[in-house]
Amino acid sequence: MDIVIHSALVTVSFLGVVSEDLIPMPSRMTSQHAYEVRPRKDQRGVDLISDALPFGRLWYDGSNAISNAIGYAKFRSRSPDDVIRVYDETGNVIETHDHTGEFKEW
């Protein structure tokens, strides 16, 4: 059994046939996450929603709910491609926060 390694693709040949499919290697592995701050349907604050959060969403209430949700999303962000969008009750984006160096770097 021959094992041939091509750019993170392992091709195993049992009968002398080797696949020449190559997987291009990105220069850096990145994962973009989108954080959404949306008003709750029950009018009790906002939800911070993202696939990067352990439980999918967090509920914020009170006078600083939106700014607290944005602050937490900036704190959790680890990718320079992450984006935070704030939506109004009708689903329109009213605010966008892109990574410009102010997000937390690890």
Side-chain angles (χ1 to χ4, degrees), residues 50-97:
S50 176
D51 61 343
L53 298 172
F55 300 107
R57 71 178 56 214
L58 294 172
W59 171 30
Y60 287 87
D61 196 10
S63 59
N64 296 328
I66 293 175
S67 62
N68 289 341
I70 293 170
Y72 185 77
K74 286 182 178 182
F75 175 79
R76 291 271 309 170
S77 175
R78 297 214 169 42
S79 171
D81 298 324
D82 289 355
V83 64
I84 303 166
R85 293 186 190 97
V86 181
Y87 294 85
D88 63 7
E89 293 82 11
T90 60
N92 297 318
V93 177
I94 58 172
E95 228 176 292
T96 301
H97 298 265

Side-chain angles (χ1 to χ4, degrees), residues 10-56:
V10 178
T11 304
V12 179
S13 172
F14 293 101
L15 302 172
V17 178
V18 178
S19 173
E20 292 299 327
D21 297 331
L22 298 178
I23 297 175
M25 292 292 295
S27 61
R28 187 176 71 139
M29 298 299 287
T30 60
S31 174
Q32 181 180 18
H33 296 289
Y35 293 86
E36 298 179 356
V37 179
R38 293 185 176 267
R40 292 174 55 91
K41 293 186 193 300
D42 61 5
Q43 303 296 318
R44 296 176 58 202
V46 296
D47 284 327
L48 174 62
I49 305 166
S50 176
D51 61 343
L53 298 172
F55 300 107

